[in-house]
Amino acid sequence: MNPDPFDRLIQSLFDGTLDPAGREALDRLLLESPTAREQYRRATALHSALIRRAEHETPAKVPTRAALRFANRKLLALAALLLLSLTASFFLLKPGPSARIVRVSGTSTLTKGQPLPVKTPIDFERGILELSFPSGAEVVLEGPCQFRLDEAETLTVSHGRLSVHAPPGAEGFRVNTPGGRFVDLGTRFGLAVGSDGTNPVVLTEVYEGEVEVQSSGKTRLTKGESRALVREKSGSRLLKALDAEPIRVPNLALQPASQEEPGRNLALGKPVTSPGYCIRPHGSVFPPENLTDGRLDDTGVPGDWSFWLAPDGENGGFTVDLLATTRISRVSLQNTCNRRIDDRGTESFLLMVSNDDVHYTTVLEGSLPRLDPGAKGSFPFHDFSFPSVEARHVKLVVTSHYRNLLRPDDHPNQGGGLNEIRIFAE
Amino acid sequence: MSEHPRTPEEQMVGWIASHQGALHRLILSLLPDDRTLANDVLQETNLVLWRKAKEYDPARPFLAWAFGIARHQVMAARRDAQRDRHVFSDRLVELLGEEHPVDDNTAELENALEGCLNKLSAKHRELILARYQPGASVQELATARSKSPGALSVLLLRIRKLLEDCIDQQLNPTAS
């Protein structure tokens, strides 16, 4: 039997042995002939079924996700989990050296020493995960984060914040993001992978050494340089500043794990509303849900920052709904200075409570000190006690805000803001 | 806890799940030389479909809508990858994408495939299954069998044609 030349081209295509001349011939044949395209579709239908069959027979671990706090995030997690289970078989446990988990904090879904499956998307909603690769490269990831191990020294991060250290011998370590690829040329650097709602936005800052950014072209960045990689329809752009602000990505490797008081914070995960919040280009949105999300370090990734900001030039305010009438007597507030840009934050405020979200009683007037944007680690919490009261709705009204003192006092980029509110019974 | 009504997202998960085969087939036909990339694009497509659950009008045919999104994801993936890596021209990918039949017979095809695999000789069956094992390469398979990759490719092509014909007969028993 002598198979026809067109079928041989298709076979070489599937088998990965098609040479450039064969490619051209196949492309031309398919463009010219509807019959050839029909034959090609028939062949791909079988090819696809055989691939799916083989991959369904290879069991893969499906990562479990922690119980999430927001209703919408819960649903997202549920759907993601469903999709993962349905398609788990697409992600293969390949043998060979891979990364190990060397440190875990604040997340219950992953454990130290756990072997990480290759090609499997791994999600964690909170906490810190530190990975060590055979080359010696070390990566610290912060939740919420979605990542995947590819080849031995390649990590794909679709969402989240990380810092990478490639010591001598680990040069060439790569991080793929939806915006482009970052190749470590022996260095320490940070990445924040997020989105402006439609397109990927990736922030990077080089702490030491050199990094190559590969997107539309190749760009090398050295110590102290930072960029925002913004992918748009026309291609990728590397911006030196995002929304007129310098780009900073805090080094996770230097940060102690955030501390919490579990079980007592009545506000954690509760819905929060505000009359308005700050929206800036490239995924810089700061909705009030950030106030009760348990993330404490005044940062995050484009599209998913950890703090709330009032609209430009406004003091603003917000209301936490505890979902049931609850006895409360203390709040603990963590201020923001807007990613250490030091142009927004709460100076003084009123705290009010209500049972019907209509009639409010003021229980407290207070003020927060200006944050030191250069401080290492998480910003402090400040406690405010008041006589014990039964309430369902807790409203905080900012009465004055901090602004960047180096700018004119009518500069639009200023207003109220807060990173986190905790509410306690006592 | 009370029962939640079915949300657009929950419904979408069901639709996405039941059409994985059809979506994979479309995406693979546009990215035929990169099995891993095709899988990645499928995952991304799933996610986009899910995110757009609220925009989807259930009165419209799901597959036509989903295929449009899948084609868009393929184009985006092609833009991301190095241009010289693509085996097909942009024009061809667009044409194949537009022409792709909007139906889903993957369940029948997969059923037929099981029967047809059983009709193969043990040697052929073993070879074709080994060929599709994740991570397998025709080069390595050839070396292991002391054959040239070209000779092995020809053998694989024969097995593929046997399967294609057998499946056609199963799916269209009356056609001659």
Side-chain angles (χ1 to χ4, degrees):
Chain A
M1 179 176 94
N2 274 324
D4 86 50
F6 177 65
D7 253 331
R8 291 194 67 158
L9 286 175
I10 293 181
Q11 191 63 38
S12 306
L13 173 70
F14 290 166
D15 291 346
T17 55
L18 196 61
D19 58 22
R23 280 189 198 187
E24 263 180 52
L26 183 62
D27 199 80
R28 199 179 54 244
L29 276 166
L30 286 170
L31 274 172
E32 280 168 2
S33 158
T35 326
R37 292 197 293 277
E38 194 47 53
Q39 197 175 335
Y40 169 72
R41 271 190 285 273
R42 187 167 160 242
T44 358
L46 175 60
H47 190 46
S48 162
L50 282 164
I51 288 178
R52 280 170 48 78
R53 187 185 182 281
E55 292 178 357
H56 275 273
E57 285 182 345
T58 315
K61 276 183 193 166
V62 179
T64 54
R65 286 176 64 127
L68 301 177
R69 285 157 282 122
F70 291 114
N72 58 347
R73 290 210 181 155
K74 245 178 212 158
L75 196 54
L76 174 64
L78 176 69
L81 189 62
L82 274 170
L83 285 179
L84 282 173
S85 344
L86 292 162
T87 56
S89 36
F90 285 100
F91 302 105
L92 322 167
L93 289 164
K94 281 194 182 153
S98 187
R100 285 181 306 121
I101 300 180
V102 294
R103 180 165 71 99
V104 180
S105 74
T107 178
S108 54
T109 44
L110 298 155
T111 51
K112 192 178 160 181
Q114 183 182 345
L116 281 175
V118 174
K119 290 272 174 205
T120 304
I122 297 164
D123 273 79
F124 63 104
E125 194 58 30
R126 58 201 300 187
I128 296 276
L129 189 65
E130 186 173 336
L131 307 179
S132 162
F133 288 79
S135 65
E138 287 162 3
V139 177
V140 183
L141 299 142
E142 181 202 53
C145 178
Q146 186 180 49
F147 71 100
R148 194 179 75 190
L149 302 176
D150 293 331
E151 298 117 52
E153 297 292 326
T154 306
L155 187 67
T156 294
V157 178
S158 32
H159 182 93
R161 215 151 60 87
L162 62 151
S163 65
V164 177
H165 175 213
E171 297 92 346
F173 184 87
R174 290 172 298 172
V175 182
N176 295 324
T177 73
R181 169 178 284 180
F182 295 79
V183 182
D184 195 321
L185 305 172
T187 184
R188 293 172 198 269
F189 72 103
L191 283 177
V193 183
S195 152
D196 65 6
T198 315
N199 298 311
V201 177
V202 184
L203 311 184
T204 187
E205 180 176 350
V206 181
Y207 312 127
E208 214 181 290
E210 207 175 359
V211 173
E212 184 171 271
V213 186
Q214 304 176 351
S215 54
S216 299
K218 290 184 179 177
T219 309
R220 287 198 171 192
L221 302 177
T222 54
K223 181 178 177 175
E225 287 191 286
S226 62
R227 292 286 187 280
L229 178 60
V230 179
R231 203 174 84 193
E232 291 171 343
K233 281 205 177 89
S234 49
S236 294
R237 290 194 297 152
L238 263 183
L239 309 176
K240 284 192 183 166
L242 198 62
D243 186 22
E245 307 293 0
I247 291 149
R248 308 283 298 166
V249 184
N251 190 346
L252 286 172
L254 301 177
Q255 294 190 350
S258 55
Q259 299 190 349
E260 275 201 53
E261 305 176 67
R264 299 175 53 208
N265 174 11
L266 303 166
L268 185 65
K270 294 293 174 11
V272 193
T273 51
S274 65
Y277 58 89
C278 180
I279 300 174
R280 311 280 308 173
H282 301 305
S284 296
V285 294
F286 306 90
E289 301 89 73
N290 293 350
L291 287 157
T292 55
D293 66 356
R295 288 184 299 158
L296 306 182
D297 68 353
D298 200 37
T299 168
V301 303
D304 195 12
W305 303 101
S306 72
F307 48 99
W308 160 79
L309 295 179
D312 286 353
E314 293 182 21
N315 285 323
F318 58 84
T319 308
V320 180
D321 182 356
L322 297 174
L323 300 176
T325 302
T326 312
R327 181 150 291 279
I328 58 172
S329 70
R330 178 166 65 97
V331 295
S332 190
L333 305 177
Q334 187 189 37
N335 214 346
T336 177
C337 57
N338 187 16
R339 292 160 286 170
R340 302 180 194 256
I341 295 166
D342 200 20
D343 63 348
R344 295 168 194 264
T346 295
E347 184 180 30
S348 60
F349 64 91
L350 292 177
L351 193 77
M352 306 183 212
V353 298
S354 166
N355 280 314
D356 57 6
D357 200 20
V358 177
H359 305 92
Y360 275 90
T361 316
T362 302
V363 294
L364 178 73
E365 282 182 47
S367 63
L368 288 167
R370 179 181 270 275
L371 290 176
D372 170 10
K376 292 258 187 289
S378 293
F379 292 123
F381 274 85
H382 295 273
D383 277 12
F384 299 89
S385 294
F386 46 89
S388 179
V389 59
E390 297 255 334
R392 171 172 167 178
H393 305 277
V394 179
K395 180 183 285 200
L396 187 143
V397 178
V398 180
T399 48
S400 66
H401 62 262
Y402 290 111
R403 63 179 183 87
N404 190 318
L405 296 170
L406 302 175
R407 295 178 185 161
D409 57 10
D410 60 350
H411 194 284
N413 292 10
Q414 59 173 304
L418 200 68
N419 192 18
E420 193 80 5
I421 180 170
R422 295 169 172 169
I423 301 175
F424 299 94
E426 49 195 292
Chain B
M1 295 290 269
S2 63
E3 281 288 307
H4 289 283
R6 275 175 73 82
T7 65
E9 283 83 3
E10 287 173 298
Q11 290 184 353
M12 184 55 63
V13 169
W15 286 318
I16 295 171
S18 57
H19 292 295
Q20 285 294 287
L23 284 165
H24 183 258
R25 184 194 294 184
L26 167 68
I27 292 166
L28 188 72
S29 79
L30 306 180
L31 300 167
D33 55 333
D34 195 335
R35 173 170 169 174
T36 311
L37 182 62
N39 280 343
D40 288 351
V41 171
L42 176 63
Q43 289 312 307
E44 278 158 27
T45 303
N46 289 340
L47 210 56
V48 173
L49 290 172
W50 185 81
R51 285 204 189 111
K52 288 182 184 277
K54 283 198 183 70
E55 292 172 29
Y56 170 63
D57 171 7
R60 290 173 57 200
F62 173 78
L63 265 190
W65 180 73
F67 277 6
I69 288 169
R71 275 155 46 191
H72 185 80
Q73 292 302 117
V74 167
M75 288 307 183
R78 279 170 59 90
R79 275 197 300 274
D80 287 351
Q82 298 284 350
R83 196 153 289 273
D84 58 358
R85 276 186 49 207
H86 298 317
V87 56
F88 285 168
S89 60
D90 285 348
R91 231 177 98 213
L92 178 58
V93 172
E94 270 164 38
L95 183 60
L96 286 170
E98 280 162 20
E99 275 187 354
H100 196 89
V102 184
D103 61 19
D104 186 353
N105 72 341
T106 47
E108 294 90 333
L109 190 144
E110 278 164 18
N111 255 333
L113 173 62
E114 288 308 311
C116 294
L117 282 168
N118 287 328
K119 286 184 189 165
L120 291 177
S121 71
K123 223 176 82 189
H124 280 174
R125 187 183 145 85
E126 184 262 331
L127 178 62
I128 191 88
L129 295 184
R131 154 71 180 82
Y132 278 94
Q133 271 310 296
S137 85
V138 173
Q139 286 285 354
E140 283 168 17
L141 282 178
T143 312
R145 285 168 173 74
S146 314
K147 280 182 193 286
S148 74
L152 190 71
S153 210
V154 170
L155 184 54
L156 285 167
L157 170 55
R158 284 190 186 148
I159 304 171
R160 175 164 69 80
K161 296 310 281 184
L162 286 173
L163 285 174
E164 277 182 20
D165 291 345
C166 170
I167 288 170
D168 272 359
Q169 276 177 15
Q170 300 241 340
L171 293 184
N172 309 300
T174 52
S176 57

